[in-house]
Amino acid sequence: MSPEGRPSSAAQTSLSRIMTALDTNLLGTVHGGVIMKLVDDVAGAVAQRHSGGPAVTASMDEMTFLEPVHVGNLVHAHAKVNWTGRTSMEVGVRVVAEPWNEVRPATPVATAYLVFVALGADGSPREVPPVLPETDEDRRRFAEAEIRRTHRLARRAAILRSREQGLADV
């Protein structure tokens, strides 16, 4: 029996953090890995909330850095389930930054799409509730997630075919 569906807004979550000198790279801006960790943390929280239990990162489908993040920025990562399969789900994350000490519009700094697999008590994949898109934007995100899934599966199949044909030995 499949779990009952959940609205796309049910598990959406945000995490925020002030960036400090400990977060910088050699260029003096915040290291991309710090942002990636925040993205994985918020996406994991959303996946586990939506699925009602443990879920693990299976892949990061795409991560785009749009603007540098600076020391003193207050960074917010907003995540939402875009799509669900039988045992997996795609979570979309939008990251914005704003100065910690003044009020002004936040600047988009990164976006990411991660795929999570829900796990049962024995560590094997378990079914997840279907996501129920609520808005036109949710429906757009769902449709685009299906395109990304199709591309992921096609890429995987092409790589396996090339290995079988001896074209790539990675």
Side-chain angles (χ1 to χ4, degrees):
M1 184 169 126
S2 293
E4 189 174 320
R6 294 204 172 112
S8 52
S9 64
Q12 69 184 1
T13 302
S14 297
L15 292 178
S16 299
R17 183 165 171 239
I18 294 176
M19 297 294 126
T20 70
L22 296 175
D23 300 316
T24 59
N25 58 29
L26 296 175
L27 300 175
T29 56
V30 171
H31 193 284
V34 172
I35 303 301
M36 291 174 81
K37 169 87 167 76
L38 183 63
V39 163
D40 192 40
D41 286 346
V42 73
V46 166
Q48 293 181 71
R49 287 167 50 101
H50 181 84
S51 69
V56 294
T57 311
S59 71
M60 179 176 277
D61 198 39
E62 183 179 319
M63 175 113 191
T64 304
F65 294 97
L66 306 169
E67 295 286 338
V69 176
H70 303 282
V71 170
N73 281 159
L74 179 55
V75 175
H76 310 281
H78 308 288
K80 193 174 196 179
V81 174
N82 289 339
W83 174 90
T84 51
R86 193 176 65 77
T87 61
S88 64
M89 63 208 106
E90 182 192 273
V91 177
V93 182
R94 294 180 180 158
V95 184
V96 299
E98 60 186 335
W100 67 273
N101 59 347
E102 59 184 272
V103 177
R104 71 174 163 165
T107 302
V109 295
T111 60
Y113 301 101
L114 296 86
V115 177
F116 285 80
V117 174
L119 298 179
D122 63 354
S124 63
R126 64 177 168 80
E127 286 192 42
V128 299
V131 66
L132 306 173
E134 300 171 277
T135 67
D136 287 343
E137 180 182 353
D138 292 342
R139 285 182 278 283
R140 176 191 58 79
R141 290 168 67 122
F142 187 93
E144 290 174 2
E146 286 189 320
I147 293 167
R148 284 186 290 276
R149 180 176 187 271
T150 299
H151 288 181
R152 272 193 308 276
L153 295 175
R155 183 176 61 237
R156 182 184 311 153
I159 289 169
L160 291 175
R161 277 193 309 275
S162 74
R163 289 179 181 173
E164 290 169 358
Q165 297 169 356
L167 299 176
D169 190 19
V170 180

